[in-house]
Amino acid sequence: MKFNRILLSATLIVVALVVQVSVLARLQLPGAVPDLVLLTVVGLALVYGPVSGSLVGFTAGLLSDLAPPADHAAGRYALVLCVIGYLVGLAKPENGRLTSAAGPMATVVAAAVGSTLLYAGVGALVGDTAARHVGLGFLLFTAVVYDLLLAPFTVPLIMAIARRAENDPLADAGGGNGADVASGWLSSGTGLRIGTQRGGLRVKAARSRASRAGRIKGVKRL
């Protein structure tokens, strides 16, 4: 992944995780908890594709596993979001633009259902039967409803931010070299290009003056 993708993804994931733990988890809603981290992974995967989407999902899931008040084995949600990020990345539009909201909303529904089933399935393998006590059907229904209500306010915004970052000068700097990145950033954002243009204008002006002087001297000699 490019440096700007890593930085942006880490920032969005941390913000989403803080909001989910400190606000959404405290609402005491029946059934599932609105999964802002999942929606962040969905939005980034729709822009970055399957490989970067799986990396973003794994990182987001691992942070969710370690963030309090986590009561499950570390790595469980990382595996779930890694798979979800990869599968959602496969639905990335070829031209990078979405023609309607039906596709992303269907992706959110599939991600909510898939993440809940995968989480419950992995939990069953490790002996966690909490989903049975709540009711898997009720968890699926509430997860879909909450995520669908939250998605219009989060997924388009995350996708817009990610696309804007893709057009950043850091994204176009070649080679991953720090010097190349710095030079690309400086030349495009600090006015140094203007200075070089001024220098070029000065050189052109000097050349035109010299040519005029040569012509005048030739006329005088004649």
Side-chain angles (χ1 to χ4, degrees):
M1 290 181 65
K2 299 178 181 179
F3 176 75
N4 63 319
R5 286 188 178 185
I6 296 174
L7 183 60
L8 177 64
S9 301
T11 302
L12 292 176
I13 289 171
V14 170
V15 172
L17 184 59
V18 170
V19 173
Q20 181 168 324
V21 172
S22 60
V23 178
L24 298 179
R26 298 176 181 271
L27 296 178
Q28 301 296 326
L29 296 174
V33 176
D35 201 339
L36 186 58
V37 176
L38 173 65
L39 297 178
T40 303
V41 172
V42 169
L44 292 175
L46 286 175
V47 177
Y48 293 156
V51 177
S52 297
S54 62
L55 294 176
V56 170
F58 178 81
T59 304
L62 187 60
L63 291 177
S64 300
D65 288 332
L66 299 177
D71 56 354
H72 55 269
R76 179 176 170 183
Y77 203 46
L79 175 62
V80 171
L81 287 189
C82 180
V83 175
I84 295 298
Y86 181 83
L87 294 178
V88 171
L90 295 176
K92 174 187 175 182
E94 294 182 359
N95 58 358
R97 295 179 179 271
L98 298 171
T99 58
S100 66
M105 298 304 284
T107 303
V108 169
V109 173
V113 173
S115 62
T116 304
L117 290 176
L118 282 174
Y119 187 82
V122 175
L125 292 176
V126 298
D128 185 3
T129 59
R132 296 179 181 178
H133 300 292
V134 179
L136 184 58
F138 185 63
L139 280 177
L140 288 172
F141 175 76
T142 53
V144 170
V145 171
Y146 296 154
D147 291 345
L148 276 179
L149 291 176
L150 195 60
F153 305 99
T154 55
V155 175
L157 178 62
I158 292 170
M159 294 180 66
I161 294 174
R163 287 199 182 108
R164 188 175 183 85
E166 287 294 284
N167 296 326
D168 192 271
L170 285 175
D172 296 329
N177 191 343
D180 293 339
V181 173
S183 62
W185 175 262
L186 291 174
S187 63
S188 59
T190 60
L192 292 181
R193 183 177 296 174
I194 297 176
T196 56
Q197 290 177 354
R198 290 178 179 175
L201 292 175
R202 291 177 183 175
V203 172
K204 290 181 180 179
R207 289 179 180 176
S208 62
R209 290 174 185 173
S211 62
R212 289 178 183 175
R215 291 175 183 174
I216 292 173
K217 289 180 180 179
V219 171
K220 288 181 177 180
R221 289 177 182 176
L222 293 175

